[in-house]
Amino acid sequence: MDLKFTAEEAAFRDEVRAFLRREITPAVWEAHRDLAEQGMWTAEFTKAFRRKLGAAGYIGMGWPKEYGGGGRSRVYQAIFWDEMEYHRAPGLDRAITYIPNALMALGSEAQKAEFLPRIIRGELSWFVGYSEPEAGSDLANVKVRAVEDGDHFVVTGQKAFSSDAHMADYGWVLTRSDSASSKHRGLSMFIIDMKSPGITITKYPTLAGWTHHAVHFDQVRVPRSMLVGEVHQGWKTVMGAIDFERAALSSPGLVSYQFDRLLAWCTKEREGGRLIDDPLVQDELVRLAIEAEGAKVMSYWLACLHAKGLRPQHETSLALLVKRETARRLDVSGLELLGPFAPLRHGSPWAPLEGEVEVEYRDHLYFQFAAGGFDITRNVVATRGLGLPR
Ligand SMILES: Cc1cc2nc3c(=O)[nH]c(=O)nc-3n(C[C@H](O)[C@H](O)[C@H](O)COP(=O)(O)OP(=O)(O)OC[C@H]3O[C@@H](n4cnc5c(N)ncnc54)[C@H](O)[C@@H]3O)c2cc1C
């Protein structure tokens, strides 16, 4: 792994940065900020923005040419994700990060032909249906049923914590297709058209202010051609897909943004002197800088492994853990360094940094659970990475 970017990679970063600054001006941010939907952007704006990313050629620049991609290394993809996170741009979700990568690695040729061209143009939104009320960390415990019926499977049951289901065109859904066999053996993964009859979506509020969703399937007919991988072999498929998911979520742009914003706050001239002149503040910032840099190195390390054609597993958990724990430390240190007005919310004239740090603190609480809790992620590193006993 080379820790320096090539001249072309650096130029690409500048190009993406310029694109994002042109598109997401402070006025756009202010006008579209909407805490009622996922990620603070409205579904409508997110969808429109994703098409712009497609038109600019950013979604598939790291895909192989045979799938319509730019054929550049995965490092370019990682740079694009990094910049998107840093600029808090809409649309950097499963629709352009891990679903296409999982499809390329695990989908059938017909599925790739059907979905990849639409994904690369930024036309599709997805939801991922793994979790259920009784199966979060214990994924092999899923109960949503898929019953074979000729050329179709009939899907019934409920998924929980279904991020972005309200705007999804398709679901990537894990089901139990054989209740007689052992827990890990009787699972099957499907792509489900969200326009199919029998799907209803319910919504509920979150602590961070946006709404979350659950998806209910009532005898939904899914063509056999939408089975991903082999029937009853869904455990293998989901484990592969989750590795792509963790790699995508470990992108370091968020922590770089949090750190830079905090540093700027501490170097601001103010009555009583700059915060950064206090040795205790310096000490805290140095610690945070090291951790933020660590998150960045881990994420680009994964990109290099992918660029070599490898399929990292426990490494993705390690990178995700480092990024998310660093983000949480930046949330907490941010609130402390912003001082007594820090908990004031966006909208209050006294809220420092427009309440951004406060809302992120609430928003990032879910880092401890989503896509595998911190404990689960540590278990993966311990067992798959270090070979420790269960
Ligand atoms: C904001 C948000 C978005 C999400 N989006 C999606 C989505 O789009 N699609 C989807 O399918 N799911 C989604 N999830 C669900 C997420 O994947 C689950 O919350 C997660 O897998 C944990 O499951 P649980 O909440 O049922 O917790 P539980 O499984 O009940 O776990 C509770 C606690 O116990 C710990 N724990 C459980 N088992 C073990 C063990 N064996 N060893 C050590 N510790 C253990 C966990 O780490 C956790 O801290 C989302 C969750 C959140 C909060």
Side-chain angles (χ1 to χ4, degrees):
M1 173 178 160
D2 187 348
L3 287 172
K4 269 210 192 103
F5 292 105
T6 64
E8 286 92 37
E9 286 163 353
F12 175 70
R13 184 186 289 281
D14 290 344
E15 181 205 309
V16 176
R17 218 172 257 176
F19 171 89
L20 292 171
R21 288 192 182 147
R22 254 191 334 271
E23 292 293 332
I24 307 176
T25 59
V28 170
W29 169 254
E30 208 41 58
H32 292 274
R33 153 188 279 200
D34 176 2
L35 301 182
E37 291 200 57
Q38 179 85 302
M40 305 196 190
W41 300 91
T42 60
E44 193 190 1
F45 188 72
T46 300
K47 287 191 168 199
F49 192 76
R50 189 175 285 138
R51 282 175 185 262
K52 283 190 182 177
L53 295 174
Y58 289 142
I59 296 177
M61 104 288 290
W63 300 8
K65 288 204 164 136
E66 60 184 297
Y67 299 131
R72 293 163 116 175
S73 111
R74 284 288 183 88
V75 174
Y76 284 81
Q77 190 175 280
I79 291 172
F80 167 61
W81 294 354
D82 190 5
E83 287 301 316
M84 286 280 286
E85 264 205 8
Y86 190 91
H87 289 87
R88 299 177 295 166
L92 185 72
D93 60 29
R94 63 205 75 73
I96 61 176
T97 56
Y98 54 91
I99 292 282
N101 285 336
L103 255 179
M104 278 183 267
L106 308 163
S108 68
E109 288 311 313
Q111 287 162 358
K112 291 179 204 175
E114 177 168 354
F115 295 109
L116 291 175
R118 294 157 76 196
I119 290 178
I120 209 168
R121 292 196 295 267
E123 290 172 4
L124 298 185
S125 299
W126 297 73
F127 103 89
V128 164
Y130 299 153
S131 300
E132 296 179 10
E134 301 299 326
S137 303
D138 187 9
L139 205 46
N141 198 28
V142 301
K143 295 205 168 58
V144 165
R145 270 176 300 125
V147 179
E148 279 189 81
D149 181 19
D151 279 349
H152 285 76
F153 284 78
V154 180
V155 174
T156 304
Q158 189 204 321
K159 291 290 174 184
F161 300 113
S162 311
S163 303
D164 294 339
H166 65 306
M167 59 165 124
D169 301 296
Y170 291 94
W172 175 268
V173 182
L174 187 66
T175 64
R176 176 151 306 282
S177 49
D178 180 5
S179 47
S181 67
S182 73
K183 253 168 103 177
H184 294 82
R185 293 242 170 87
L187 301 168
S188 296
M189 178 79 89
F190 291 97
I191 294 170
I192 300 185
D193 186 338
M194 295 299 278
K195 289 192 292 302
S196 314
I199 297 182
T200 48
I201 297 173
T202 48
K203 63 178 184 178
Y204 49 91
T206 67
L207 186 66
W210 41 268
T211 50
H212 214 175
H213 300 86
V215 178
H216 309 258
F217 297 98
D218 182 11
Q219 308 214 26
V220 176
R221 294 184 69 76
V222 183
R224 178 178 282 275
S225 60
M226 289 298 114
L227 174 70
V228 186
E230 287 171 50
V231 70
H232 308 325
Q233 298 298 317
W235 185 250
K236 218 169 113 191
T237 315
V238 73
M239 286 299 110
I242 280 179
D243 286 331
F244 287 114
E245 176 176 355
R246 290 181 179 144
L249 296 175
S250 75
S251 188
L254 169 70
V255 289
S256 307
Y257 173 73
Q258 284 182 288
F259 180 78
D260 288 355
R261 183 183 53 194
L262 198 55
L263 184 63
W265 173 263
C266 292
T267 48
K268 234 166 82 174
E269 292 292 348
R270 65 189 77 226
E271 219 179 301
R274 303 183 316 161
L275 284 180
I276 197 147
D277 295 327
D278 179 335
L280 288 176
V281 172
Q282 289 171 11
D283 191 55
E284 179 70 357
L285 286 172
V286 167
R287 195 174 58 81
L288 292 168
I290 291 169
E291 292 189 27
E293 202 56 27
K296 198 184 285 180
V297 170
M298 301 288 289
S299 173
Y300 281 100
W301 170 53
L302 282 187
C304 291
L305 296 179
H306 279 128
K308 284 186 187 160
L310 300 172
R311 293 265 296 273
Q313 296 189 320
H314 66 274
E315 295 91 338
T316 64
S317 295
L318 194 55
L320 179 60
L321 193 64
V322 170
K323 181 254 185 90
R324 288 190 158 178
E325 290 202 329
T326 304
R328 290 302 289 149
R329 275 197 272 278
L330 278 154
D331 291 337
V332 175
S333 296
L335 285 184
E336 282 174 9
L337 290 167
L338 258 49
F341 288 114
L344 292 177
R345 296 194 170 177
H346 175 239
S348 162
W350 294 284
L353 297 174
E354 299 186 51
E356 273 180 14
V357 178
E358 185 277 335
V359 78
E360 285 166 14
Y361 176 85
R362 283 183 287 128
D363 196 32
H364 298 164
L365 282 171
Y366 74 74
F367 280 0
Q368 282 166 111
F369 313 100
F374 284 176
D375 310 309
I376 300 299
T377 316
R378 281 202 179 82
N379 283 351
V380 174
V381 176
T383 53
R384 286 209 262 171
L386 301 174
L388 298 180
R390 279 179 186 279

